[in-house]
Amino acid sequence: MSPGRYLATLALFALGAMAVPAHAATVQIVMENMVISPAEVSAKVGDTIEWVNKDVLAHTATAKNGDFDVTIAPKKTVRSVLTKAGTVDYYCRFHPNMKAVLTIAP
Amino acid sequence: MFVRLSIAVAALGVLTGAALAQGAKLTDPQIAHIAYTAGVIDINAAKQAESKASSKDVKAFAKDMARDHEAVNKQALDLVKKLKVTPEDNDTSKALSKQAADKLAELGKLKGTAYDKAYIDNEVAYHKTVNTALETQLIPSASNPELKSLLQTGLKIFQGHEQHAEHVAAGMK
Ligand SMILES: [Cu+2]
């Protein structure tokens, strides 16, 4: 294999590794008027959660088990990729009355 | 003068609940003023705490309060402007402000952990009082649907703050 060919193969391999897994989906979770909806969501490891905050207040999505802690500024959207399976109860640290559940399949 | 003073003192003694519980139906301009005043009070308390608190959690909580209540009050101002409602000062707002000024002075004399604890305890109590007022008085009395809905969101925010304050208080022991 020529050095050029080898590099090209390597590059291809890297691209393949970077690409999103075949069935990865984007799941939207909206925070509006102090409510997280849907309150229960099922997703898979590798899926992207799109956290949409429609309020004028900052919120967080904080996993009770410490798996994730995302802060979403007012009127902003934050994306995060799920890396670990499990049924995760999460809440907003600023407003602990905002609660929801995320079920993440392996 | 004498009589008035003692009435005021009595009213303060039983906290805002008394001022809020009695009688005449509040008008939208009055409700808007009370809600806004309630926010300002918590912002002032938060500003004092941001400079006086020693615990990191208490400082962070104060910052959250100032940020949230400033955002909500801005939304309230935008709404009253849109609805062409001029917030109207009233006895409840006055009682709230007077009581808050006294509390601020009282807290101002404390230091260190004693201050932190007193501030957080007062935050729990204050949010409870405001929540009761919102639930039993302000929301039922509001006639404009947009004002009512802002108050309903406000109630959820205040309930969130109450729980947040309780968490911080529990963490301090
Ligand atoms: Cu929140």
Side-chain angles (χ1 to χ4, degrees):
Chain A
M1 202 187 274
S2 73
R5 187 84 187 266
Y6 176 71
L7 272 179
T9 312
L10 239 179
L12 265 179
F13 180 75
L15 269 178
M18 271 166 58
V20 192
H23 303 293
T26 297
V27 181
Q28 206 178 62
I29 296 178
V30 178
M31 298 165 161
E32 186 173 24
N33 290 326
M34 302 291 291
V35 176
I36 302 174
S37 56
E40 285 176 42
V41 163
S42 298
K44 284 201 215 84
V45 169
D47 285 355
T48 297
I49 301 290
E50 203 169 70
W51 305 99
V52 182
N53 180 4
K54 294 192 173 175
D55 283 340
V56 297
L57 314 169
H59 294 306
T60 74
T62 305
K64 271 194 185 158
N65 64 5
D67 279 359
F68 55 82
D69 185 11
V70 182
T71 300
I72 312 105
K75 307 278 177 193
K76 294 279 188 238
T77 297
V78 173
R79 284 170 194 86
S80 58
V81 178
L82 300 172
T83 53
K84 208 177 141 199
T87 297
V88 184
D89 288 310
Y90 66 96
Y91 66 103
C92 169
R93 269 187 288 117
F94 303 141
H95 315 104
N97 52 343
M98 297 173 70
K99 286 181 269 192
V101 186
L102 191 54
T103 306
I104 308 157
Chain B
M1 175 65 201
F2 205 82
V3 175
R4 254 201 204 161
L5 191 68
S6 57
I7 288 172
V9 169
L12 288 173
V14 261
L15 237 118
T16 51
L20 290 161
Q22 55 192 246
K25 188 177 185 279
L26 295 159
T27 64
D28 281 2
Q30 290 172 334
I31 292 167
H33 196 282
I34 294 166
Y36 190 82
T37 303
V40 168
I41 287 170
D42 208 44
I43 292 167
N44 290 339
K47 293 212 162 126
Q48 187 188 48
E50 279 186 76
S51 64
K52 274 187 75 86
S54 39
S55 139
K56 204 180 89 218
D57 286 349
V58 173
K59 261 197 160 72
F61 174 82
K63 216 173 154 189
D64 293 340
M65 289 307 107
R67 192 191 56 222
D68 272 14
H69 286 292
E70 274 162 9
V72 174
N73 269 3
K74 190 186 168 293
Q75 210 179 24
L77 280 188
D78 290 348
L79 179 65
V80 295
K81 210 177 285 172
K82 184 185 149 203
L83 300 176
K84 297 191 166 56
V85 165
T86 307
E88 183 193 308
D89 200 1
N90 57 82
D91 289 346
T92 304
S93 288
K94 285 187 183 119
L96 275 171
S97 296
K98 168 78 175 79
Q99 191 188 340
D102 292 347
K103 193 74 203 177
L104 214 57
E106 185 190 318
L107 289 172
K109 290 177 196 145
L110 301 173
K111 282 195 174 65
T113 317
Y115 170 81
D116 289 3
K117 214 190 158 314
Y119 166 68
I120 285 295
D121 287 349
N122 187 55
E123 283 299 290
V124 174
Y126 178 71
H127 282 89
K128 264 196 186 120
T129 305
V130 174
N131 288 339
T132 307
L134 279 165
E135 265 173 313
T136 62
Q137 273 257 275
L138 304 183
I139 293 171
S141 305
S143 17
N144 181 283
E146 281 182 89
L147 177 64
K148 207 188 257 288
S149 127
L150 182 72
L151 293 169
Q152 273 155 348
T153 304
L155 173 61
K156 283 188 223 150
I157 295 167
F158 268 78
Q159 284 169 337
H161 291 170
E162 184 187 324
Q163 287 189 19
H164 190 183
E166 277 164 356
H167 283 197
V168 177
M172 296 198 321
K173 296 226 172 71

